[in-house]
Amino acid sequence: MENIDKDKYTRAKKRVEELKGFYFHLAIYVVINTFILVNIYLRTDSFWQWEHFITLVAWGIGVLFHAFKTFGFNPFLGKDWEERQIQKYMEEDKKEMNKYK
């Protein structure tokens, strides 16, 4: 029973670390990009140029993928696909083990 509690604690701690990492990444993204955009706005006459938003867009894609990983969202394969693959490989292992009995 104690081992189960330790495993739960370890998983929960890992999850909290993942969330903390994501929120830190998001906060840094917002602060840095706000600073960059405010500087561009104050120093140039033509704010709405693509070059001014490259960092925002590229880093934003990185933050988006970090969010997908952190919150378990996979738009390409989905959670059901992952569960089916796990079950498939567990069944294959079970068949393989029965072969040698």
Side-chain angles (χ1 to χ4, degrees), residues 13 15 38 57 60 63 75 82 96:
K13 185 173 180 171
R15 179 74 177 131
V38 166
V57 171
V63 169
E82 186 176 326
E96 198 66 31

Side-chain angles (χ1 to χ4, degrees), residues 3-98:
N3 194 23
I4 293 173
D5 290 339
K6 190 180 252 187
D7 289 343
K8 285 182 181 180
Y9 175 80
T10 303
R11 284 193 306 271
K13 185 173 180 171
K14 182 181 177 197
R15 179 74 177 131
V16 168
E17 290 296 322
E18 289 174 356
L19 287 169
K20 190 167 74 171
F22 170 72
Y23 289 131
F24 184 74
H25 186 189
L26 183 63
I28 295 297
Y29 169 80
V30 169
V31 169
I32 297 296
N33 281 297
T34 300
F35 177 75
I36 289 170
L37 292 176
V38 166
N39 274 330
I40 290 170
Y41 182 75
L42 294 176
R43 294 174 186 237
T44 63
D45 294 331
S46 55
F47 179 74
W48 297 107
Q49 293 180 8
W50 168 246
E51 300 86 38
H52 298 158
F53 299 98
I54 290 175
T55 303
L56 183 77
V57 171
W59 193 355
I61 291 169
V63 169
L64 184 66
F65 279 109
H66 192 171
F68 286 170
K69 181 182 180 295
T70 302
F71 296 107
F73 178 70
N74 189 339
F76 305 110
L77 301 174
K79 190 74 170 170
D80 293 337
W81 176 86
E82 186 176 326
E83 289 297 324
R84 285 193 311 269
Q85 293 300 315
I86 290 170
Q87 291 299 322
K88 175 182 151 186
Y89 288 118
M90 287 174 60
E91 287 296 320
E92 286 177 7
D93 284 346
K94 187 176 179 182
K95 288 177 185 176
E96 198 66 31
M97 293 301 287
N98 287 336

